Amino acid sequence: MAGARAAIRYAKALLSLASDLKTAEVVGNDMKLIANTLATSKDLSEALQSPVIPSSIKKSTLLEVFKNTDKSTNNLIDTLITNNRINILGDIAVKYGQLLDESKGVEVATVTTVVALTAELKKSVLAKAKALTGKDVEVENIIDETILGGFILRIGDLQYNASVANQLNKLKREFTLN
């Protein structure tokens, strides 16, 4: 829990600095890259979590992997290494993206489907989500074969579950109650 609170503080500080330097979008792209890389590279993620690997190696590895990033991003890596907090870099990157979207008034809609959304379907989901929230919306598609069919739409705290798995569970509960 303390790591999550620290990640939020670092993300807020980085957003404030990047906003002052007018590089919030550039740093936002860096944070997306870092979050995606750490999410897909198990080796890099484990290396950052490892207490056995020296900080100097972690730093040189990160600066090599993310060599085309903004100065503020590099300074964040330096600060995290200095403060022995490099293990929360992925959490900071994710939180920064959320804070940046929030500051721009953009809401992220997560749509879970069995197959990838088509361009036409994505467009209609965007329109519906914008109508529900009154804000600009970005759609993130998650593919989950366990829902069997249909979709699950999540926008902030709102969730609409129109999955086949959910409908089957409802039927099952109705039959067991009767």
Side-chain angles (χ1 to χ4, degrees):
M1 187 64 153
R5 287 194 310 255
I8 292 169
R9 287 194 302 267
Y10 278 106
K12 284 181 179 178
L14 181 61
L15 180 60
S16 176
L17 174 67
S19 296
D20 291 346
L21 297 173
K22 309 275 190 263
T23 59
E25 289 294 327
V26 174
V27 174
N29 291 334
D30 292 349
M31 292 297 116
K32 282 181 187 174
L33 174 66
I34 289 170
N36 289 338
T37 303
L38 292 176
T40 57
S41 174
K42 184 178 177 189
D43 292 338
L44 182 59
S45 183
E46 287 177 356
L48 292 182
Q49 302 299 323
S50 174
V52 177
I53 299 173
S55 295
S56 59
I57 292 176
K58 291 178 184 180
K59 180 179 175 179
S60 62
T61 302
L62 287 171
L63 292 178
E64 182 61 31
V65 171
F66 304 114
K67 59 185 165 195
N68 296 324
T69 56
D70 187 73
K71 184 180 178 186
S72 298
T73 303
N74 293 338
N75 289 342
L76 172 68
I77 292 170
D78 286 339
T79 303
L80 292 173
I81 290 289
T82 303
N83 295 340
N84 292 321
R85 294 295 222 154
I86 198 64
N87 59 320
I88 63 171
L89 178 61
D91 295 336
I92 294 169
V94 169
K95 192 62 186 170
Y96 182 93
Q98 293 170 351
L99 291 171
L100 181 62
D101 286 344
E102 193 176 291
S103 72
K104 294 187 306 185
V106 174
E107 193 81 39
V108 177
T110 306
V111 181
T112 306
T113 56
V114 175
V115 294
L117 288 175
T118 63
E120 187 177 305
L121 195 53
K122 189 173 185 176
K123 191 175 179 181
S124 65
V125 168
L126 273 171
K128 185 66 175 172
K130 188 170 184 169
L132 286 171
T133 63
K135 297 181 180 180
D136 288 334
V137 179
E138 290 180 7
V139 174
E140 179 182 312
N141 187 205
I142 297 173
I143 298 171
D144 181 3
E145 295 173 1
T146 62
I147 68 169
L148 304 175
F151 66 93
I152 301 171
L153 174 64
R154 176 179 282 276
I155 306 170
D157 292 341
L158 300 172
Q159 178 172 311
Y160 179 72
N161 192 339
S163 67
V164 173
N166 184 49
Q167 293 170 359
L168 289 173
N169 283 335
K170 283 182 183 176
L171 280 172
K172 182 179 176 183
R173 282 191 300 259
E174 285 180 23
F175 284 132
T176 57
L177 291 177
N178 293 329

